[in-house]
Amino acid sequence: MAADGATAGGGDPVVLAAGPGERPRESADARWLLYARPDTGGIWRMPRLDWAGGAPVAATRLEVDLRGGDVDRWVPGEAGIYYVRRPEDGVPQLALFDPDSGRTQDVLPLASGFEGWGFQLAPDQQRIIYSEPTSQESDLRIAVLREPGA
């Protein structure tokens, strides 16, 4: 959508779903529009349609246990949806959700304080690329006030 609220083609914007939605993505097979919801967590999907031609179909929530604070920590791929799963006990996991079977499997344990974001899947579907803060620094600074004209 353009900054002024118009669509790229010049038509009126179309509301696809009620409530907040973030990080919209197309499924790997191009059949679904996927998005995360920070208010409820999870990943939602609706059929990919020509939405300008009519009302969109209601979205359904997938059984992905993505927390609301992790809405930027998932990416669809051919095998399913990769995301950060945070179990009550233990370290966060890179998990894979298969929408066809409804099953989730852990793929890789992550660092206990994992904060990576911006997940992208490499074209070969063998690597996930993300940003991660590696250090936090701060400086103590002093502002010296001067007399006007000095």
Side-chain angles (χ1 to χ4, degrees):
M1 184 180 308
D4 64 0
T7 61
D12 293 327
V14 176
V15 176
L16 297 180
E22 292 188 21
R23 195 154 169 79
R25 294 291 194 79
E26 186 176 87
S27 62
D29 62 8
R31 291 180 26 217
W32 302 98
L33 171 68
L34 306 168
Y35 64 93
R37 290 197 53 178
D39 61 334
T40 62
I43 296 176
W44 297 71
R45 77 176 180 181
M46 63 176 50
R48 188 175 178 274
L49 306 167
D50 176 11
W51 293 299
V57 176
T60 57
R61 184 172 192 222
L62 299 174
E63 293 300 318
V64 177
D65 54 341
L66 179 76
R67 293 187 182 178
D70 286 326
V71 295
D72 199 28
R73 296 179 176 105
W74 66 278
V75 64
E78 292 174 5
I81 300 170
Y82 294 94
Y83 72 102
V84 173
R85 187 178 75 78
R86 297 187 188 269
E88 294 296 323
D89 299 337
V91 299
Q93 300 285 323
L94 178 63
L96 175 63
F97 173 78
D98 178 358
D100 294 331
S101 70
R103 293 191 178 118
T104 297
Q105 70 180 45
D106 291 337
V107 176
L108 179 74
L110 301 167
S112 62
F114 182 79
E115 295 183 25
W117 73 91
F119 282 28
Q120 297 293 327
L121 195 57
D124 65 3
Q125 307 268 318
Q126 298 298 307
R127 294 174 294 268
I128 292 178
I129 302 152
Y130 58 90
S131 297
E132 183 176 29
T134 56
S135 67
Q136 287 186 328
E137 296 182 14
S138 59
D139 294 325
L140 182 60
R141 305 213 180 219
I142 298 174
V144 179
L145 303 176
R146 299 180 191 235
E147 292 292 320

